[in-house]
Amino acid sequence: MLNLKVIVGSTREGRFSEKTLPWLTKTLDGAEQFSYEVLDLRDYELPFFNEATSPAYVTDGAYPNAAVRSFAAKVAEADAFLIIAPEYNHGYSAVLKNALDSVYVEWNKKAIGFISYGSVGGGRVVEQLREVAVELQMAPIRNAVHIQAPWNLLDESGNLKAGALSDYDKSLASVLEQLLWWGEALKAARAK
């Protein structure tokens, strides 16, 4: 079974990423190939990275900050990642960038995929995150879920309309299939 960590890449009040979780977790609950855990960046009070030493030189998880150590331990457990990422001003959130920059070796040699949302489905965000993932020695998969104009999927009360994400079911299935293949391949390679 592949250990998948789902990272909620926004901490804003009323964030759309939170609204996608029931849809995503329902699918993951039915996927026997994965064990998963949601890592909400709200739960990790990571300081903005300003250490004198790069996380790339911390190979034993002994980061100076306790919140970073806690986050690093969760990242280390994973075989693969699925990040839910908003697009803010043609880029991804500062809190997500900070989380990616705060640890290093724990990300290495693992598969990563994306669910993004925004005016162009978060396409610009995914392209940027793939570049960061490569620098973290990760394997970004080809497919992603790109949710177009998420504000149109909400009712007057700000709740997700019934069935609003069903058009993205096939995209999600494809992402999970690729994460499984790459995640298993890299897990086997790391075990050697």
Side-chain angles (χ1 to χ4, degrees):
M1 191 173 278
L2 206 66
N3 186 325
L4 176 68
K5 301 295 186 196
V6 175
I7 298 176
V8 181
S10 171
T11 57
R12 289 177 59 188
E13 189 66 35
R15 60 199 173 161
F16 185 79
S17 53
E18 198 170 77
K19 298 176 188 329
T20 66
L21 280 174
W23 167 73
L24 172 60
T25 58
K26 181 180 177 185
T27 300
L28 289 173
D29 287 342
E32 296 176 0
Q33 309 91 329
F34 294 101
S35 66
Y36 74 92
E37 180 179 11
V38 175
L39 302 182
D40 189 336
L41 294 181
R42 281 185 181 168
D43 298 334
Y44 297 90
E45 294 185 27
L46 302 173
F48 278 107
F49 177 73
N50 65 356
E51 298 295 332
T53 304
S54 167
Y57 297 109
V58 179
T59 58
D60 60 357
Y63 295 98
N65 182 281
V68 174
R69 286 192 303 274
S70 176
F71 183 68
K74 286 297 181 183
V75 171
E77 292 173 359
D79 297 311
F81 301 92
L82 184 56
I83 292 180
I84 304 172
E87 182 170 316
Y88 299 157
N89 301 315
H90 291 212
Y92 50 96
S93 67
V95 69
L96 178 56
K97 176 66 167 139
N98 189 58
L100 291 166
D101 289 348
S102 293
V103 302
Y104 182 75
V105 72
E106 294 82 2
W107 298 116
N108 294 174
K109 301 177 180 99
K110 297 176 182 178
I112 186 168
F114 306 99
I115 296 173
S116 61
Y117 55 92
S119 58
V120 292
R124 294 173 286 224
V125 168
V126 171
E127 287 306 306
Q128 292 171 25
L129 286 169
R130 285 180 175 144
E131 292 176 355
V132 173
V134 169
E135 185 60 25
L136 292 171
Q137 297 188 50
M138 301 179 84
I141 63 168
R142 180 191 180 278
N143 290 359
V145 178
H146 296 283
I147 301 171
Q148 303 289 330
W151 47 88
N152 291 333
L153 304 179
L154 304 176
D155 64 19
E156 299 78 29
S157 301
N159 298 313
L160 197 61
K161 295 175 187 173
L165 295 175
S166 60
D167 288 345
Y168 300 98
D169 288 346
K170 288 183 182 177
S171 293
L172 179 58
S174 175
V175 165
L176 294 177
E177 180 183 340
Q178 288 182 2
L179 270 178
L180 182 64
W181 192 95
W182 283 99
E184 287 180 336
L186 291 168
K187 182 178 180 178
R190 287 192 316 274
K192 288 184 180 181

Short mmCIF file of all heavy atoms in Angstrom, two decimals, residues 144-179:
data_model
loop_
_atom_site.label_atom_id
_atom_site.label_comp_id
_atom_site.label_asym_id
_atom_site.label_seq_id
_atom_site.Cartn_x
_atom_site.Cartn_y
_atom_site.Cartn_z
N ALA A 144 -2.70 16.33 -14.13
CA ALA A 144 -3.14 17.08 -12.95
C ALA A 144 -4.63 17.32 -13.08
O ALA A 144 -5.21 17.19 -14.16
CB ALA A 144 -2.39 18.41 -12.84
N VAL A 145 -5.26 17.65 -11.97
CA VAL A 145 -6.66 18.06 -11.98
C VAL A 145 -6.67 19.59 -11.98
O VAL A 145 -6.12 20.21 -11.07
CB VAL A 145 -7.43 17.53 -10.75
CG1 VAL A 145 -8.87 18.02 -10.77
CG2 VAL A 145 -7.37 16.00 -10.69
N HIS A 146 -7.26 20.18 -13.01
CA HIS A 146 -7.31 21.64 -13.15
C HIS A 146 -8.78 22.09 -13.05
O HIS A 146 -9.54 21.95 -14.00
CB HIS A 146 -6.74 22.07 -14.50
CG HIS A 146 -5.29 21.77 -14.66
ND1 HIS A 146 -4.31 22.54 -14.07
CD2 HIS A 146 -4.65 20.79 -15.34
CE1 HIS A 146 -3.12 22.05 -14.39
NE2 HIS A 146 -3.30 20.98 -15.15
N ILE A 147 -9.14 22.62 -11.90
CA ILE A 147 -10.52 23.03 -11.66
C ILE A 147 -10.70 24.47 -12.13
O ILE A 147 -10.10 25.39 -11.57
CB ILE A 147 -10.90 22.86 -10.17
CG1 ILE A 147 -10.72 21.39 -9.76
CG2 ILE A 147 -12.32 23.35 -9.92
CD1 ILE A 147 -10.86 21.14 -8.28
N GLN A 148 -11.53 24.62 -13.16
CA GLN A 148 -11.76 25.94 -13.77
C GLN A 148 -12.75 26.77 -12.96
O GLN A 148 -13.76 26.25 -12.50
CB GLN A 148 -12.33 25.74 -15.19
CG GLN A 148 -11.47 24.92 -16.12
CD GLN A 148 -10.21 25.64 -16.54
OE1 GLN A 148 -10.17 26.86 -16.62
NE2 GLN A 148 -9.17 24.88 -16.81
N ALA A 149 -12.47 28.06 -12.82
CA ALA A 149 -13.38 29.04 -12.21
C ALA A 149 -14.13 28.46 -11.02
O ALA A 149 -15.36 28.33 -11.05
CB ALA A 149 -14.34 29.56 -13.27
N PRO A 150 -13.45 28.12 -9.95
CA PRO A 150 -14.10 27.45 -8.81
C PRO A 150 -15.23 28.26 -8.19
O PRO A 150 -16.16 27.68 -7.62
CB PRO A 150 -12.96 27.23 -7.83
CG PRO A 150 -11.93 28.22 -8.20
CD PRO A 150 -12.03 28.39 -9.68
N TRP A 151 -15.18 29.57 -8.32
CA TRP A 151 -16.25 30.41 -7.75
C TRP A 151 -17.59 30.13 -8.39
O TRP A 151 -18.62 30.34 -7.76
CB TRP A 151 -15.88 31.90 -7.88
CG TRP A 151 -15.38 32.26 -9.25
CD1 TRP A 151 -16.13 32.63 -10.33
CD2 TRP A 151 -14.03 32.23 -9.69
NE1 TRP A 151 -15.32 32.85 -11.42
CE2 TRP A 151 -14.01 32.60 -11.06
CE3 TRP A 151 -12.81 31.92 -9.08
CZ2 TRP A 151 -12.86 32.69 -11.82
CZ3 TRP A 151 -11.66 32.01 -9.84
CH2 TRP A 151 -11.69 32.38 -11.19
N ASN A 152 -17.59 29.62 -9.63
CA ASN A 152 -18.84 29.27 -10.30
C ASN A 152 -19.42 27.94 -9.80
O ASN A 152 -20.53 27.59 -10.17
CB ASN A 152 -18.65 29.20 -11.81
CG ASN A 152 -18.40 30.57 -12.42
OD1 ASN A 152 -18.84 31.58 -11.87
ND2 ASN A 152 -17.69 30.61 -13.52
N LEU A 153 -18.66 27.22 -9.01
CA LEU A 153 -19.10 25.91 -8.50
C LEU A 153 -19.76 26.02 -7.13
O LEU A 153 -20.17 25.02 -6.55
CB LEU A 153 -17.92 24.95 -8.43
CG LEU A 153 -17.13 24.73 -9.73
CD1 LEU A 153 -15.98 23.77 -9.51
CD2 LEU A 153 -18.06 24.23 -10.82
N LEU A 154 -19.87 27.25 -6.62
CA LEU A 154 -20.42 27.46 -5.29
C LEU A 154 -21.83 28.03 -5.36
O LEU A 154 -22.16 28.78 -6.28
CB LEU A 154 -19.52 28.44 -4.51
CG LEU A 154 -18.04 28.06 -4.39
CD1 LEU A 154 -17.27 29.16 -3.69
CD2 LEU A 154 -17.88 26.73 -3.69
N ASP A 155 -22.64 27.68 -4.36
CA ASP A 155 -23.97 28.26 -4.28
C ASP A 155 -23.91 29.62 -3.57
O ASP A 155 -22.83 30.10 -3.21
CB ASP A 155 -24.95 27.30 -3.60
CG ASP A 155 -24.61 27.02 -2.14
OD1 ASP A 155 -23.85 27.80 -1.51
OD2 ASP A 155 -25.11 26.00 -1.61
N GLU A 156 -25.06 30.23 -3.34
CA GLU A 156 -25.14 31.56 -2.74
C GLU A 156 -24.55 31.60 -1.33
O GLU A 156 -24.11 32.65 -0.86
CB GLU A 156 -26.60 32.05 -2.69
CG GLU A 156 -27.27 32.18 -4.04
CD GLU A 156 -27.73 30.83 -4.60
OE1 GLU A 156 -28.05 29.90 -3.81
OE2 GLU A 156 -27.74 30.69 -5.83
N SER A 157 -24.53 30.47 -0.65
CA SER A 157 -23.99 30.39 0.72
C SER A 157 -22.50 30.07 0.75
O SER A 157 -21.92 29.93 1.82
CB SER A 157 -24.75 29.34 1.52
OG SER A 157 -26.12 29.66 1.57
N GLY A 158 -21.90 29.91 -0.43
CA GLY A 158 -20.47 29.58 -0.48
C GLY A 158 -20.17 28.11 -0.37
O GLY A 158 -19.01 27.72 -0.23
N ASN A 159 -21.19 27.27 -0.46
CA ASN A 159 -20.99 25.83 -0.40
C ASN A 159 -20.87 25.27 -1.81
O ASN A 159 -21.45 25.80 -2.76
CB ASN A 159 -22.18 25.16 0.31
CG ASN A 159 -22.31 25.63 1.73
OD1 ASN A 159 -21.34 25.67 2.47
ND2 ASN A 159 -23.52 26.01 2.12
N LEU A 160 -20.15 24.18 -1.92
CA LEU A 160 -19.99 23.52 -3.20
C LEU A 160 -21.34 22.97 -3.66
O LEU A 160 -22.04 22.31 -2.89
CB LEU A 160 -18.98 22.38 -3.06
CG LEU A 160 -18.35 21.81 -4.31
CD1 LEU A 160 -17.57 22.87 -5.07
CD2 LEU A 160 -17.43 20.65 -3.94
N LYS A 161 -21.72 23.26 -4.89
CA LYS A 161 -22.97 22.73 -5.44
C LYS A 161 -22.86 21.21 -5.58
O LYS A 161 -21.78 20.68 -5.84
CB LYS A 161 -23.24 23.35 -6.81
CG LYS A 161 -23.49 24.84 -6.79
CD LYS A 161 -23.63 25.38 -8.21
CE LYS A 161 -23.72 26.89 -8.23
NZ LYS A 161 -23.70 27.42 -9.62
N ALA A 162 -23.97 20.53 -5.42
CA ALA A 162 -24.00 19.07 -5.56
C ALA A 162 -23.48 18.67 -6.94
O ALA A 162 -23.90 19.22 -7.95
CB ALA A 162 -25.42 18.56 -5.35
N GLY A 163 -22.55 17.73 -6.96
CA GLY A 163 -22.01 17.22 -8.22
C GLY A 163 -21.10 18.18 -8.95
O GLY A 163 -20.70 17.90 -10.09
N ALA A 164 -20.71 19.27 -8.33
CA ALA A 164 -19.92 20.30 -9.01
C ALA A 164 -18.56 19.79 -9.49
O ALA A 164 -18.03 20.29 -10.48
CB ALA A 164 -19.72 21.51 -8.09
N LEU A 165 -18.01 18.81 -8.80
CA LEU A 165 -16.68 18.30 -9.18
C LEU A 165 -16.74 17.01 -9.99
O LEU A 165 -15.69 16.47 -10.34
CB LEU A 165 -15.82 18.12 -7.93
CG LEU A 165 -15.49 19.41 -7.18
CD1 LEU A 165 -14.74 19.11 -5.89
CD2 LEU A 165 -14.68 20.35 -8.06
N SER A 166 -17.93 16.53 -10.29
CA SER A 166 -18.04 15.24 -11.00
C SER A 166 -17.39 15.28 -12.38
O SER A 166 -16.91 14.24 -12.86
CB SER A 166 -19.50 14.80 -11.09
OG SER A 166 -20.26 15.76 -11.78
N ASP A 167 -17.33 16.44 -13.01
CA ASP A 167 -16.64 16.55 -14.31
C ASP A 167 -15.15 16.27 -14.19
O ASP A 167 -14.48 16.05 -15.21
CB ASP A 167 -16.85 17.94 -14.92
CG ASP A 167 -18.26 18.15 -15.43
OD1 ASP A 167 -19.01 17.16 -15.57
OD2 ASP A 167 -18.62 19.32 -15.68
N TYR A 168 -14.61 16.30 -12.98
CA TYR A 168 -13.18 16.11 -12.77
C TYR A 168 -12.84 14.70 -12.27
O TYR A 168 -11.68 14.41 -11.98
CB TYR A 168 -12.65 17.16 -11.79
CG TYR A 168 -12.86 18.57 -12.30
CD1 TYR A 168 -13.93 19.33 -11.87
CD2 TYR A 168 -12.01 19.11 -13.25
CE1 TYR A 168 -14.14 20.62 -12.36
CE2 TYR A 168 -12.20 20.38 -13.75
CZ TYR A 168 -13.27 21.13 -13.30
OH TYR A 168 -13.47 22.39 -13.79
N ASP A 169 -13.83 13.83 -12.19
CA ASP A 169 -13.60 12.46 -11.70
C ASP A 169 -12.57 11.71 -12.54
O ASP A 169 -11.69 11.03 -12.01
CB ASP A 169 -14.90 11.66 -11.65
CG ASP A 169 -15.84 12.11 -10.54
OD1 ASP A 169 -15.41 12.85 -9.63
OD2 ASP A 169 -17.03 11.71 -10.59
N LYS A 170 -12.68 11.81 -13.86
CA LYS A 170 -11.73 11.10 -14.74
C LYS A 170 -10.32 11.65 -14.60
O LYS A 170 -9.35 10.90 -14.61
CB LYS A 170 -12.19 11.18 -16.20
CG LYS A 170 -13.40 10.32 -16.49
CD LYS A 170 -13.79 10.36 -17.94
CE LYS A 170 -15.03 9.52 -18.19
NZ LYS A 170 -15.48 9.59 -19.58
N SER A 171 -10.21 12.97 -14.45
CA SER A 171 -8.89 13.57 -14.25
C SER A 171 -8.26 13.07 -12.96
O SER A 171 -7.08 12.74 -12.92
CB SER A 171 -8.98 15.10 -14.21
OG SER A 171 -9.36 15.62 -15.46
N LEU A 172 -9.07 13.01 -11.91
CA LEU A 172 -8.56 12.53 -10.63
C LEU A 172 -8.13 11.07 -10.73
O LEU A 172 -7.07 10.69 -10.22
CB LEU A 172 -9.60 12.71 -9.53
CG LEU A 172 -9.20 12.21 -8.14
CD1 LEU A 172 -7.93 12.89 -7.64
CD2 LEU A 172 -10.35 12.41 -7.15
N ALA A 173 -8.92 10.25 -11.39
CA ALA A 173 -8.57 8.84 -11.56
C ALA A 173 -7.24 8.70 -12.28
O ALA A 173 -6.40 7.87 -11.92
CB ALA A 173 -9.68 8.10 -12.30
N SER A 174 -7.02 9.52 -13.29
CA SER A 174 -5.77 9.49 -14.04
C SER A 174 -4.59 9.92 -13.17
O SER A 174 -3.51 9.31 -13.22
CB SER A 174 -5.89 10.40 -15.27
OG SER A 174 -4.67 10.48 -15.94
N VAL A 175 -4.79 10.96 -12.38
CA VAL A 175 -3.72 11.42 -11.48
C VAL A 175 -3.37 10.32 -10.48
O VAL A 175 -2.19 10.02 -10.25
CB VAL A 175 -4.16 12.70 -10.74
CG1 VAL A 175 -3.26 13.00 -9.55
CG2 VAL A 175 -4.16 13.88 -11.71
N LEU A 176 -4.37 9.68 -9.89
CA LEU A 176 -4.10 8.62 -8.91
C LEU A 176 -3.42 7.42 -9.55
O LEU A 176 -2.55 6.80 -8.94
CB LEU A 176 -5.39 8.22 -8.20
CG LEU A 176 -6.01 9.30 -7.31
CD1 LEU A 176 -7.33 8.82 -6.73
CD2 LEU A 176 -5.05 9.73 -6.21
N GLU A 177 -3.81 7.10 -10.78
CA GLU A 177 -3.15 5.99 -11.49
C GLU A 177 -1.67 6.29 -11.70
O GLU A 177 -0.82 5.43 -11.48
CB GLU A 177 -3.85 5.77 -12.84
CG GLU A 177 -3.25 4.66 -13.67
CD GLU A 177 -3.92 4.52 -15.03
OE1 GLU A 177 -5.05 5.01 -15.21
OE2 GLU A 177 -3.28 3.94 -15.92
N GLN A 178 -1.36 7.51 -12.12
CA GLN A 178 0.04 7.87 -12.34
C GLN A 178 0.81 7.95 -11.02
O GLN A 178 1.96 7.51 -10.94
CB GLN A 178 0.14 9.19 -13.09
CG GLN A 178 -0.27 9.08 -14.53
CD GLN A 178 -0.13 10.39 -15.28
OE1 GLN A 178 0.31 11.41 -14.74
NE2 GLN A 178 -0.52 10.38 -16.54
N LEU A 179 0.18 8.50 -9.98
CA LEU A 179 0.85 8.57 -8.68
C LEU A 179 1.16 7.17 -8.15
O LEU A 179 2.22 6.94 -7.58
CB LEU A 179 -0.03 9.30 -7.66
CG LEU A 179 0.12 10.79 -7.55
CD1 LEU A 179 -0.87 11.36 -6.53
CD2 LEU A 179 1.54 11.20 -7.18
#
